Structures are given as C-alpha cells and as structure tokens.
Amino acid sequence: MIHARIRVSGQVQGVGFRPFVFRLAHELGLAGWVRNDSSGVEISVEGKHSQVLCLIERLQSEPPALARVEKVIHDLEQVTSGLRGFSIAPSKMGRMQTGIVPDMAICPDCLSEMFDPADRRYRHPFINCIHCGPRYTLTARLPYDRANTSMAKFTQCPDCQQEYDNPGTRRFHAQPNACPACGPHLSLFDELWRPVTSDDCIASAARYIASGQIVAIKSVGGFHLVCDAGNPATVDRLRSRKQRDEKPFAVMVLNRLSAERYAEVLEHEAALLEAGERPIVLLRKSASCDTELRGISPDLSDIGLILPYTPLQYLLFHELSGKPEGTDWLQKATSLALVMTSANFHGEPLVKDDAEARASLSGLSDAFLTHDREILHRCDDSVMRTTPSPLWGNFGQPSQMASCSIGEYSGEGQQFQLIRRARGYTPRRILLPHTGPSILACGAWLKNTVCLTRGNEAFVSQHIGDLDHAATRQMLDETVAHLCDILDVRPQAVAHDLHPDFYSTQFAQAYAAQHGLSIFAVQHHHAHIAAVCAEHHVTESVLGLALDGMGLGTDGNAWGGELLRVEGADFQRLGHLAPLSMPGGDRAAREPWRLAAAVLFEMGRSDEIMHRFPAQTGSVTVITLLQRQLNCATTSSMGRLFDAAAGLLNVREIQSYEGQAAILLEGLAEQHGKVAALTNGYVISNDGVLDFLPLLAAITDCKNASYGAALFHATLADGLMAWLLRAAENENINTVALGGGCFLNRILSQTLISSLYGHGLRVLTAQQLPPNDGGISFGQANIALTCMTGISSMGAIESPREFYLKSH
C-alpha cells in the first residue's frame, strides 16, 4: 500500500476532470480525494502500488474529451494515513495558476435528451452537461465553480441538485446545470420592445423568420441578427439597416449535408465545421450557391458557413423544419439556411444584454428573442478556413492548434488558419518560449486583441475589433480588467504599438502611469514576426516578411511591406517595398482608384487618370496633389499595392469594407488559374528595395482583368521569393517567418510557402492566432517579455522602454 499526491495541470477545470478521477478511483479500489485548486487539479490517493500507478497513467491516456492534460506530477510515499472511500473535496483557493475552458457546442447526448419527449429537459433551450455548453462567457472568476458564474442566481431544483451531486451522472459538477423548472427562461419582444405573449417563444420567433422578418437572438457570447438567408428581400433589408452594403454574411446550416448544398466540403473541412468549437468556416461556393443565397457573399468565391452550437439554435431549426419527431432529422440534408451575423451596428462591439439590445438594435430587428442568463463577457464567433500545407512533416511534429476536439492538422497536407479568434478558442493559453514578469500588451488599432502573460503562458483575448468607436474602446478596457481578474495577475510592464494616436497606445500609457509600470513601444511589423516566432518557440535569428495594410515605422513613415532580420527583442530592416504615394492620405486606403492614379502619375501617364476614372469627381484634385506632392504621404504597404492593382484593372474603385479590393482581385486570379510570372516584372535594388512598378505597368494595359489578377499574384510571389532568397544568402539564415494580414491571401501564401520550402528554407506561419492584427498583442507581449528578462540579467531594468527604442 502506498500514498500518492498528484497534481494535474492544463485545461482540467470545468471539463469533468474531478468526476473522471472519482470514477477511476472507485474502479481501481483507491481511497482519497480530488479537488480543484489555483494550479489545476490536486489528488490525494492511497491504495495498492500497481493501482495507484495505473491511475497516474490513465490520467494522461484517458482524460475527458474537453480536457488537455499538460503535466502530471506525483510523489509516492510508503506511509499511508488510512483514508477511507473517495470524495470530491471543496475547491482550494489561492493565487490562480490555471485557466478556463472556452464555450463548447452542445454534445450529442444533450441533443438526444432535448429531442426526447420523455425526458424532463425536452426542448429545454439551456440544456448542457460537463461535456458541453458555455464556460468562459458566463464565468466571473476562478476557480470554475457555480458561485463564480452567472448561474449563481439560479438555485437548482432537487432533481438537478441530485444530478449535480452524483458522480455517476454527466452533470456532476456541471456548473451551468439547470432544467425548465429551475433554469433560465426565454422572453420575446417586438420591435418596440413590447412583450409578445406566447406559449412558445421559439415557435413565435420562427414564425417571424419564416415570414421574412429579422430577429435578434441572444446566444452564449452575445446577440445574433437572424433571418432567412434564402429570402433576398430580407437579406437586402438587413444590409440596408446594418449599413453593410457588400460585406459577406455568415450563414448557419443544420449539418454537413446541408452545407454541401451551398459549398464544396472536403473531409477536413467537415471536421472543422463539426468540431466542438464550432467556428465559421470559409468554404468554396457550390455552383448554385449565389442563385439560392443571393446577396449573401456578393462577388466572392467563398461563403462562411457555421453549424448550430447552442440548444436554442437547434430548437429554432427544429421549429422551422416542422418539428419532426426523434433525432434522425438532425442528419438529413435541408435547404434551410439562416443568416447568423453579429448583432452590432457599423463596427461597434457585439451586443450582449437586453439593455444594450434595446438601445443599439432598435431599427435593426423586428423582434427580440432573449433570456435571463447573463452574458458576462461578449465573444464573437471565430472564423477559420483550411489551407494546404507543404510543410507537413518537414520540421518534426507540427504545433498543435489550441483545440479540444481537433488538432491543427486534419490530415497530411492540410492545416487550419484562424482569421478571427474568439468563441471556442478564447481564452486558451499559448505557451511562450521563456518565462518572466507578467506583461500586458494592448494590441493594434484594427482587429484589436489584448494579451496578458503569466510566467511562460500567454492569454490572448477574444476579438475586440477596430478601435474607431467609443464602445469598442470600452470593451478593451473591460477585457483588460477581466483578464487580470480571472487569471489573478497584476501586470509588471505594458506593451503597445509605436503609433502614438492609437487608443490602445493611449490606454497602455495611462495604465502604466496609473500603476507605475515600465512601458514598451513596439514597432508594428516587428510584433507581427515576433508573434509567429513565439508560438513556434523560435528564439534564433529569422528573416521576417511582414506584409499588411499599414503600420508606423521607426522612421515615422507608413510601413507595410517589410523584410526584417529579427532576433527576439531586436530587429533590423533589411528592405522594403518601393514607396507608393497615397494622394489624400488615409482616404486612399478606402479608394483604390487614388492609388492607381498615383501609379499612373509615377509612370508619366497622369493624363489618363480622368479618362480611366470618369466617375471620380476628385480626379482633378488628385492630379494636383500628386503634381505638388501635397497630402501625399508614401507607404511601403503591400495592402496598398494590392489596392493599386485592383484600381488599374478596374476591379474596384472604392471599397465598401476593409480588404475588399484585394479579396476580389484574389477571386479573379483563382477563376483564371495559374500563369507564369512576368519576366522582369520587378527590380531589387542594392539597398534592398523591391519595386513592382514594371508589373504594375504591364497590368495597366491588360484588357482581361482575370488574367491581370493572375499575373499580378504570380509575379508578386516570384519577386518576394527572390527577395527572401537573396536575404537568406546574405544573412546566412534559413528560417523565414511570415506575418501580416496579406498572408490571408491564399494564392500568395501557398505559392510563396511552396517556393521557399522547395528552396530548402524553413517557413514559420501563424497557427494558433490569425496572421493579421489579431495576433499583434501576442507579439508585443513576447518582445516586452524578452526585453524584461534580458535587461534583468544585465541589472538595468529601470528603463526598458528606452532600451527598445534606442536599439532601433
């Protein structure tokens, strides 16, 4: 007989780990206890030596589905204390060193119960168990106990309490546990927020939708605006109300077979659609998609599809499908498709409670289906896609995507790429290559996230959004406070973007001043590359290729097409794209014709500007600005180069949403197919400037926009490859890190990665975070942490900000 003290760390709270240990201990005839504490799960157990060792092994080999066991530490003692029986002890409080599980989709067992007329939770819209349901969005603090969630106000009825207390049930210590008798309830309101009398709120909401109305529905992370995606008049009305002229909508379909009606769905894409995280997945449209779902994703080759993940969403599909009996209907194809778009107005944060819905969604929705379970933390749907990966098996084991149900790769040659990281993935931690003081990193202006480190762990927040609006800025403030509270961390330094006018910069400076903390101003593109390096635990020198819309450079100019040498907290600018004039300043980023005009002016063809863009009344002014070099800041941005090409090819003169011109250009290139790169389509100067003016000149006279788009992509990839190969030889570096929003371009990414791989270079890409500005905060945190630990070792910690700035 021996005694063992066991500590299990990782994602082990809120996933049924204690009842799992309880059942194992009883099966193995062991005595003792298990409890949650600030570090994870602690176990004290006594029994036969072989049985105790078996328990330790099975903790790692047979954990619950949602658990991620990272470490099991144990001490064995010959002395025993005569423990009897096995129990689940109360949680032990302390300084938190664990995390919380993201919200997960309803599990198959709960689905079966919900559609079983004999079950007491029949059609209960808040059914859940230890394997599914909300976690992060309803948790105020850790440990993850009911008293620390928004379920605290719902006292369990005797039946639910018995399940909650019984280790033999799926609802043993399932914190959101409830039933129709004791749990949250639905309410329905009309467009003026007057109560709608109804015996069945879901049936009434379904009638609104079926009749062509728009309904705001409260989910787990906030409200969605929902309507019939197959009703073009309703879709047009939603666009008009939301002031969203052309940006695509996400569409919810019942299952994989239903998705195949509107998109091409490969096996690995189906696995992503059906995963417990339930992201929106970008898929190739089917031939009939635009006909059946007119106006959903105009002029694009992809559609964003998502499967139901809450009980309420499944009940809505059940109602709209005629309330079929049993569960067989769940696996059958249906043409039913619902727009499921974030309920917000013009870039503001997702609405999360009734007061916000009443104030912000008035005029957007014809009805409101809500409930009385409070959402503590708003969290959008995540957005992902799959991409072929030529890196399979090239450098050992691939890093694992932070996911409970699927790894990063679904099969050889395939990987998943995050576009927006939110529900289902937040707030899973990302391990850093080193440990040190806690850093708060405040991110960028667009696609903002914040990041908080704890030891060697980084916790990147859910997608916050663009910081144009006061409400989004308030969400940043709230998210920082929440991360600090839930992780029980007080930052010791703050990092922010180099741009002084960003709200995230101003917040960081005020926060640092208020708390007396060191502060780091981190260059935007350095942060892009540092984020990629950190998640791969690469600390040696790399070549960093950062391609995005724009970021402030250390010289005060707008960067965006940068070739860097990066080593931790240090970087050197080896080269950049040839500067491009932006007549009208930031306005040029929204109006590609202005960038095309700048290219024409550069080529000595300014007399063509008015002829090419007759609809643009500002063309005379733009010519004057270019001639006098007034309000014509220059940028090395790759994003603006895409815009210029789109303008020259008459693909898009004015964008209705960010990145539209580049997305349309990519779609045209895919339609045409591969072409050879233009011979002599670029020039690389001795000082590292890559100039694509010859390419732009060639497409200026191109009559076929599809061919011009394909030629643009092929030559772009060829020039970038030559640029990187030359730098790799000059710098004697064989690792390349790719960062920035332009790497969401499938053609550019795949062509460039394949070429670099074929030339024997090691290629690092973003995997656990998006390559765009959603990953900036993680890179900022890694750079600041590297500075802090490096300076500490030299004993000069008083001014880390000056250390960073002086080094560049």
Side-chain angles (χ1 to χ4, degrees), residues 744-758:
L744 291 174
N745 183 297
R746 194 157 29 202
I747 299 175
L748 177 63
S749 296
Q750 293 175 9
T751 306
L752 183 58
I753 291 171
S754 296
S755 297
L756 293 171
Y757 171 64

Side-chain angles (χ1 to χ4, degrees), residues 218-279:
K218 188 176 182 181
S219 186
V220 297
F223 279 77
H224 286 111
L225 291 174
V226 183
C227 69
D228 181 0
N231 186 329
T234 304
V235 172
D236 288 345
R237 191 164 66 253
L238 177 59
R239 287 199 177 280
S240 176
R241 291 181 181 182
K242 207 178 178 190
Q243 297 183 18
R244 184 170 173 160
D245 294 340
E246 296 177 273
K247 193 173 182 180
F249 286 128
V251 172
M252 181 172 283
V253 293
L254 180 61
N255 50 36
R256 174 186 176 173
L257 290 178
S258 303
E260 289 174 345
R261 183 184 183 97
Y262 304 114
E264 301 172 9
V265 185
L266 303 178
E267 285 300 322
H268 57 282
E269 293 169 328
L272 188 55
L273 273 173
E274 295 169 344
E277 293 84 354
R278 283 296 201 280

Side-chain angles (χ1 to χ4, degrees), residues 764-785:
L764 309 177
T765 60
Q767 295 175 359
Q768 298 186 63
L769 291 166
N772 58 31
D773 284 4
I776 282 285
S777 63
F778 180 61
Q780 292 171 345
N782 184 54
I783 290 168
L785 185 60

Side-chain angles (χ1 to χ4, degrees), residues 223-225 234-251 280 282 295-298 300 304 339-348 350 364 380-381 383 420 463 652 655-658 660:
F223 279 77
H224 286 111
L225 291 174
T234 304
V235 172
D236 288 345
R237 191 164 66 253
L238 177 59
R239 287 199 177 280
S240 176
R241 291 181 181 182
K242 207 178 178 190
Q243 297 183 18
R244 184 170 173 160
D245 294 340
E246 296 177 273
K247 193 173 182 180
F249 286 128
V251 172
I280 297 168
L282 298 188
I296 291 297
S297 54
L300 302 181
V339 170
M340 195 68 57
T341 188
S342 301
N344 57 0
F345 182 74
H346 208 54
E348 293 184 353
L350 182 67
L364 288 180
D380 266 305
D381 295 322
V383 182
R420 182 172 73 195
H463 169 82
R652 196 76 192 182
Q655 305 192 82
S656 65
Y657 58 89
E658 185 202 0
Q660 183 183 22

Side-chain angles (χ1 to χ4, degrees), residues 314-463:
Y314 273 106
L315 289 169
L316 192 61
F317 271 87
H318 186 237
E319 197 69 42
L320 289 166
S321 300
K323 298 178 71 171
E325 296 181 356
T327 57
D328 289 347
W329 67 278
L330 290 167
Q331 305 305 322
K332 294 180 180 178
T334 173
S335 61
L336 179 60
L338 301 176
V339 170
M340 195 68 57
T341 188
S342 301
N344 57 0
F345 182 74
H346 208 54
E348 293 184 353
L350 182 67
V351 169
K352 72 177 178 68
D353 57 45
D354 290 359
E356 289 181 1
R358 189 171 186 176
S360 302
L361 303 182
S362 176
L364 288 180
S365 180
D366 301 308
F368 299 82
L369 181 60
T370 183
H371 57 76
D372 55 351
R373 184 177 67 196
E374 187 180 1
I375 298 172
L376 298 183
H377 315 293
R378 65 192 89 219
C379 202
D380 266 305
D381 295 322
S382 293
V383 182
M384 299 181 72
R385 70 177 179 192
T386 63
T387 58
S389 173
L391 304 182
W392 177 263
N394 187 29
F395 305 110
Q397 292 297 316
S399 302
Q400 288 297 304
M401 170 68 71
S403 167
C404 292
S405 51
I406 51 174
E408 178 207 346
Y409 294 84
S410 61
E412 185 166 340
Q414 299 295 336
Q415 76 177 64
F416 301 117
Q417 183 179 51
L418 278 156
I419 298 170
R420 182 172 73 195
R421 184 179 186 265
R423 181 191 50 75
Y425 297 94
T426 300
R428 290 198 178 114
R429 66 185 181 181
I430 302 173
L431 295 180
L432 292 160
H434 39 250
T435 189
S438 176
I439 306 293
L440 169 64
C442 297
W445 179 268
L446 300 177
K447 300 174 181 63
N448 179 267
T449 62
V450 296
C451 177
L452 187 64
T453 70
R454 186 180 65 184
N456 70 333
E457 304 166 301
F459 297 86
V460 179
S461 75
Q462 70 270 39
H463 169 82

